[in-house]
Amino acid sequence: MDEPSTAGGAAEATPGRGRPAAAVPSPSLSGWRAVADGVHVCVAEPDAVNLGLVVGATGALLVDTGSTPEQGRALRASVAGVTDRPLVGVVVTHAHTDHAFGLAAFDDLDTIGHESVAERLRGPESALLAAGLGVDPAELRPPRRALAVATSVDLGGRRVEVVHLGAGHTAGDLLVVVPDADLLFVGDLVEQAGAPWWGPDSVPDEWAATLDGVIGLMTESTRAVPGHGEPVDREFVFDARGRAAAVSGELTRLAGSGVPEGEALAAGTWPYPPEHVAGAVAPAYAALAGRRRGTRPNLPMA
Ligand SMILES: [Zn+2]
């Protein structure tokens, strides 16, 4: 596998996750480990992203795809080491590199993403990031099945639900809910390994409300697999929800106080290291100035 290039703008610009790309490890996949009965997680470098595998009686479903088509192919091959059930579908929790750039390896399957993902993958930021990884942007594939709100996948004796509760980390964050395992995959709406990242494509003023929806799906015993780090409980998500609200509230206060956009980061008080929050300033100021398109689709109600 090609080493990810650190040359050029892709390593400096942070449209993918808001996360600096310096000093990243080489691409690799860890082994799979079980986090519940028939639910497995592996970790893909260079971004230490959690990838999920849910196995039912007749089929298996992957959650997220790794950073390149080549990593996606390695991921696909690795499934045979866990189960002899056929892989029947793939969900991408959002459009960022480490979650969605491996989609080309699954072109023949039922690939599912939020309806905003295709446009994002065709956009200039994704092309820049792909080039930085040595990937031809033409190899980025949109999900074959776009959803606005929710769908489910039958794996044989096991139903998996895929739902968009709202925006936050991106406009197109999906959850993958495994009701019989009391477990959900929450993508980068929650991060356990360090703090979450607000990128320029984040939706700061909606993140906390979306986490309210996540909390509403959890009990004391439910575990949530974040995009990065170890599974967390409801208390952890409560804490993340409060911090997300604090970020949005502080940006609203700063803008309302007349603090210029370029000074907001330095002027604010933040619940996370400032570099994690820096990407929130532009979209928050744009939203507060009425310069943002709606992040929700117009449903065909007419
Ligand atoms: Zn992300």
Side-chain angles (χ1 to χ4, degrees):
M1 182 173 291
D2 293 336
E3 293 287 320
S5 169
T6 55
E12 297 293 328
T14 54
R17 301 195 50 230
R19 175 188 292 257
V24 293
S26 299
S28 65
L29 287 177
S30 74
W32 290 96
R33 68 186 172 102
V35 293
D37 187 24
V39 183
H40 309 265
V41 172
C42 81
V43 178
E45 301 292 356
D47 288 317
V49 61
N50 285 327
L51 307 174
L53 180 67
V54 185
V55 181
T58 59
L61 178 79
L62 268 176
V63 182
D64 287 330
T65 66
S67 297
T68 63
E70 185 171 358
Q71 188 166 65
R73 287 188 284 274
L75 176 67
R76 185 168 185 168
S78 76
V79 171
V82 179
T83 179
D84 58 5
R85 306 296 188 277
L87 194 60
V88 297
V90 179
V91 177
V92 289
T93 58
H94 60 292
H96 285 168
T97 306
D98 44 337
H99 302 262
F101 280 19
L103 270 168
F106 308 97
D107 246 1
D108 56 321
L109 301 179
D110 179 23
T111 55
I112 300 168
H114 184 260
E115 61 184 359
S116 64
V117 167
E119 181 180 351
R120 173 83 189 172
L121 289 177
R122 283 194 297 264
E125 289 178 344
S126 292
L128 182 67
L129 288 161
L133 290 165
V135 173
D136 181 344
E139 284 189 88
L140 299 183
R141 293 285 192 284
R144 295 179 62 156
R145 183 149 64 113
L147 68 80
V149 180
T151 189
S152 68
V153 179
D154 179 5
L155 299 176
R158 172 167 252 178
R159 183 186 78 252
V160 176
E161 299 182 6
V162 184
V163 59
H164 174 67
L165 294 180
H169 180 65
T170 69
D173 298 310
L174 296 187
L175 310 184
V176 177
V177 184
V178 191
D180 68 46
D182 199 12
L183 178 142
L184 48 160
F185 290 88
V186 294
D188 288 355
L189 282 167
V190 177
E191 295 204 28
Q192 187 275 334
W197 289 92
W198 276 255
D201 56 343
S202 64
V203 187
D205 57 328
E206 295 186 15
W207 198 324
T210 299
L211 289 179
D212 282 337
V214 175
I215 291 163
L217 295 177
M218 300 179 76
T219 69
E220 283 182 354
S221 59
T222 306
R223 285 180 304 151
V225 179
H228 304 265
E230 294 298 314
V232 301
D233 64 8
R234 190 174 60 175
E235 278 301 313
F236 189 97
V237 184
F238 268 129
D239 180 75
R241 186 260 181 239
R243 291 170 188 251
V247 171
S248 179
E250 181 70 341
L251 287 161
T252 301
R253 183 189 72 78
L254 291 162
S257 303
V259 174
E261 182 175 333
E263 298 172 17
L265 189 67
T269 301
W270 310 107
Y272 292 116
E275 64 270 23
H276 285 252
V277 178
V281 175
Y285 268 66
L288 290 163
R291 287 186 277 115
R292 184 182 68 193
R293 291 184 302 159
T295 56
R296 292 174 194 280
N298 293 314
L299 296 175
M301 305 284 280

